[in-house]
Amino acid sequence: MVRNNRTSTVTEFLFSGFPQFEDGSLLFFIPLFIIYIFIVIGNLIVFFAVRMDTRLHNPMYNFISIFSFLEIWYTTATIPKMLSNLICEKKTISITGCLLQMYFFHSLGNSEGLLLTTMAIDRYIAICNPLRYPTIMTPQLCAQLSAGSCIFGFLVLLPEIVWISTLPFCGPNQIHQIFCDFEPVLRLACTDTSMILLEDVIHAAAIIFSVLVIAVSYVRIITVTLRIPSAEGRRKAFSTCASHLGVFLMFYGSVSLMYLRFSTTFPPTLDTVIALMFAVLAPFFNPIIYSLRNKDMKIAIKKLLRLQKVFNAPAS
């Protein structure tokens, strides 16, 4: 039940971004459940294919494997709760659960964004400075960049989450979204919410900075690639970047729609669709892009699946 009394203390939030289904919840639950299972299995396959194939032990594929690993937890932060809300009559979450969901979802998202930026720089060095690439992108630097992306992604949000946890919430307790997000939660605080604009500016600045770095890297990559004299050389250079560029466009395209709109409001249905784009659909397509667009990855996945069959085969 929604609390309308401003003097009462809110202990849990009610998700109101879900359409009110009667008997049709399973029509949405089953596809979302299948998508979630595909995301987990698909990204696990990509992760282990890279780890178990020595030919893929290089910075580019190392970043891809870590990105796939993060995608599993990125979707796990929200989709299981979405599935629960689709089949449960009570679509609620405790304040602590909401803060944890926000923290892990956005920390993992930040880590992925930093990793995508690192991958773009890696491709820039590999194509624009190929002779210096082995000495610049050493295994040690690769490990440091990967770890740094994850550590910074999780640390940068801690002050914000701690600040939100100190705010008083005293009703109404309806979150107009399908998961806990900064703007919908901050609007429920019964105190000055002028900080919402500052939050929007900080998030927008981080997104724009990452997009600019990646865009400049790929503009330079395309410029250099077009100068390659042989058609085969150009094709190979473009193919190594096509997967990264596709994931970048999906990830930052949907994120920009969600967080670069400031005071612009969308209809609730469109808001839900945009949220599903970057929380569900983008992770769904990532393993498809990395496996279907990359010959070496397809070979590694086939080897992994054959190895799995050998282990599962009954003893003669």
Side-chain angles (χ1 to χ4, degrees):
M1 181 179 295
V2 179
R3 298 177 177 85
N4 293 318
N5 184 0
R6 297 292 294 181
T7 62
S8 62
T9 301
V10 173
T11 59
E12 61 184 14
F13 296 124
L14 172 67
F15 290 107
S16 61
F18 289 90
Q20 297 299 314
F21 303 116
E22 292 182 0
D23 298 323
S25 295
L26 284 179
L27 295 177
F28 294 86
F29 176 88
I30 293 175
L32 183 58
F33 179 75
I34 293 173
I35 289 173
Y36 176 60
I37 295 300
F38 176 84
I39 290 171
V40 173
I41 295 176
N43 282 292
L44 277 176
I45 289 174
V46 171
F47 177 79
F48 283 111
V50 172
R51 294 299 169 181
M52 298 182 69
D53 193 330
T54 55
R55 296 181 305 110
L56 302 184
H57 289 178
N58 58 55
M60 181 180 73
Y61 288 108
N62 177 69
F63 293 138
I64 289 175
S65 69
I66 295 173
F67 186 84
S68 296
F69 183 75
L70 291 175
E71 284 282 75
I72 297 171
W73 300 108
Y74 176 75
T75 52
T76 300
T78 56
I79 295 182
K81 186 60 180 176
M82 292 183 200
L83 291 169
S84 171
N85 287 333
L86 282 172
I87 58 176
C88 294
E89 182 178 350
K90 191 178 181 182
K91 300 173 173 57
T92 60
I93 187 171
S94 66
I95 290 181
T96 300
C98 185
L99 291 173
L100 287 174
Q101 187 182 70
M102 279 196 301
Y103 175 68
F104 283 106
F105 179 71
H106 285 282
S107 293
L108 289 161
N110 283 344
S111 299
E112 289 185 359
L114 291 169
L115 204 56
L116 284 174
T117 306
T118 302
M119 291 163 71
I121 296 173
D122 171 74
R123 289 299 84 202
Y124 168 81
I125 298 173
I127 293 175
C128 300
N129 296 281
L131 298 179
R132 298 181 59 196
Y133 179 76
T135 58
I136 295 175
M137 196 60 67
T138 61
Q140 293 77 15
L141 179 60
C142 179
Q144 291 169 357
L145 290 173
S146 301
S149 297
C150 297
I151 293 172
F152 183 79
F154 276 83
L155 289 180
V156 72
L157 276 178
L158 270 178
E160 191 171 0
I161 293 296
V162 171
W163 169 68
I164 294 175
S165 68
T166 64
L167 297 178
F169 296 96
C170 50
N173 63 341
Q174 293 188 72
I175 295 179
H176 298 286
Q177 190 51 275
I178 57 178
F179 58 85
C180 287
D181 207 357
F182 289 115
E183 193 269 345
V185 171
L186 284 174
R187 290 195 180 279
L188 300 181
C190 48
T191 185
D192 180 24
T193 57
S194 60
M195 286 290 289
I196 294 176
L197 179 60
L198 179 59
E199 295 294 323
D200 286 343
V201 172
I202 293 173
H203 294 158
I207 294 169
I208 292 171
F209 175 77
S210 296
V211 169
L212 285 176
V213 171
I214 296 173
V216 169
S217 297
Y218 277 108
V219 167
R220 179 60 178 161
I221 287 170
I222 293 172
T223 303
V224 171
T225 302
L226 291 175
R227 294 175 184 168
I228 297 176
S230 67
E232 178 63 22
R234 290 194 299 270
R235 186 200 64 78
K236 186 176 181 180
F238 276 124
S239 66
T240 59
C241 299
S243 299
H244 308 300
L245 191 57
V247 172
F248 157 68
L249 291 174
M250 280 197 308
F251 182 85
Y252 277 105
S254 54
V255 166
S256 297
L257 282 174
M258 195 69 185
Y259 297 110
L260 293 185
R261 57 187 181 182
F262 295 100
S263 59
T264 304
T265 56
F266 294 151
T269 302
L270 181 58
D271 226 16
T272 300
V273 170
I274 294 173
L276 287 172
M277 280 177 60
F278 78 91
V280 179
L281 294 183
F284 172 77
F285 285 108
N286 287 345
I288 298 176
I289 292 174
Y290 281 130
S291 60
L292 294 183
R293 292 285 303 173
N294 191 297
K295 181 180 177 181
D296 292 333
M297 184 66 76
K298 285 191 285 188
I299 294 172
I301 290 173
K302 288 178 181 178
K303 288 173 61 178
L304 176 66
L305 296 178
R306 282 199 299 268
L307 184 63
Q308 184 68 25
K309 289 180 181 178
V310 170
F311 279 118
N312 291 334
S316 57

